Amino acid sequence: MDGFKLYVTNSSTIPPDGYLCYEDPDPGLPNITQNIPCNQLGQYVIYYDSKGSQENETFYIGPIIELCYVAINDNIASGGLVTQFPTGSQTASLANDGNTKSCSKTIGQTVIFQVDLKEESTVTGVHITFGESTTRKGFHILYSSNTSTSWTFGTILYNGTSLPIEINFHTVFRFLTYKPPVEIGRSVLEVCEIGIVGCPPSHYGPFCDQSCPWNCRGPCDLITGQCIFGLIGWSGDTCEQ
C-alpha cells in the first residue's frame, strides 16, 4: 500500500479529479493506522493506489489494498454563519466556502472573527487556513462561548504567540471567536478557510449518523451518546428515567 493517495472530490471519476489531501512518501511501508487531516468540502473521499510491483521482466503484480476501517470526521463550519468586525474588503463568508484560495480579509484597531454554529454542538477540533497578510507577532486568542457578545467570558481554547492552525479539544459551544494580535496599532486578518470538527446537534458516532436520545437537552457525547446536559425531572445517562 506504499505510495497511496487520498483525495476529496465532487465526482467518482477514476483516476480522481479533485483535491489531493495526502500522498504517501514512497518508498517504505505506510503506518498501519493513519490519521490524515484534510480541511476540504466534497462529496467523495477516495483512496487511490496505482502502484504495483515488478517481480521480474515479465511478471507484474498490481497494488493490493486491505482497508479495515475508515472514519471521516465532518466539518460543521460549512453550515455556520461567519462574521468579522470590521466588515473588511473581502466578505467573511469566503472563510467557509470550501475554497482555500478565496479568503476573507479585514483590517482595524480591534478585529474579531466569529463562527456561529447556530446551535450548541460538541466539537473536537478546529483547523484554520490563514492568508499571508495576517498579523503574526503577538498573542492569538481563540474563544468558545454560547453568546455572540460576551465571548471574552467564555472558554479560552488557545492563547499563544503562533498562529493556531490546528487545535484539538473536546467541548460544547455555539460561537467560536478568534482575536488576532495588534501590531503597530492595527490588526490584519485574512482567513482562507476554517474547519470545525464535530457532529451537528442531536447526532453522535464516528460518522455522526446516530441520533442522540430524544430526551437530551442539547448535544450528547460524541462517543457514548450519553446526555451532556440534564433535563429537569429526568435522570439516567440518556435522561430516560
Side-chain angles (χ1 to χ4, degrees), residues 120-122 199-205 208-228 237-239:
E120 292 181 2
S121 304
T122 305
C199 287
S202 75
H203 286 80
Y204 75 100
C208 299
D209 58 350
Q210 300 183 59
S211 297
C212 295
W214 67 273
N215 246 3
C216 281
R217 182 179 66 86
C220 61
D221 186 272
L222 289 184
I223 299 175
T224 65
Q226 295 179 356
C227 297
I228 295 176
D237 291 338
T238 58
C239 293

Side-chain angles (χ1 to χ4, degrees), residues 111-117 123 126 128 139-159 164 167 169 171-180 194 196:
V111 170
I112 299 299
F113 179 86
Q114 190 173 79
V115 180
D116 179 4
L117 298 177
V123 179
V126 173
I128 308 177
F139 283 90
H140 304 260
I141 309 176
L142 194 67
Y143 300 88
S144 67
S145 64
N146 288 319
T147 61
S148 61
T149 54
S150 59
W151 43 267
T152 54
F153 296 100
T155 301
I156 295 178
L157 302 175
Y158 179 85
N159 187 356
I167 305 173
F169 48 83
T171 188
V172 176
F173 61 84
R174 172 175 171 175
F175 295 92
L176 182 75
T177 306
Y178 169 69
K179 189 175 185 300
I194 182 166
I196 300 177

Side-chain angles (χ1 to χ4, degrees), residues 215 227 230-241:
N215 246 3
C227 297
L231 187 66
I232 294 176
W234 296 81
S235 63
D237 291 338
T238 58
C239 293
E240 78 287 358
Q241 300 173 7

Side-chain angles (χ1 to χ4, degrees), residues 24-35:
D24 180 64
D26 189 47
L29 297 178
N31 293 331
I32 292 176
T33 301
Q34 299 273 347
N35 185 9

Side-chain angles (χ1 to χ4, degrees), residues 118-135:
K118 299 181 180 178
E119 294 183 79
E120 292 181 2
S121 304
T122 305
V123 179
T124 59
V126 173
H127 304 269
I128 308 177
T129 303
F130 290 95
E132 293 296 326
S133 301
T134 300
T135 301

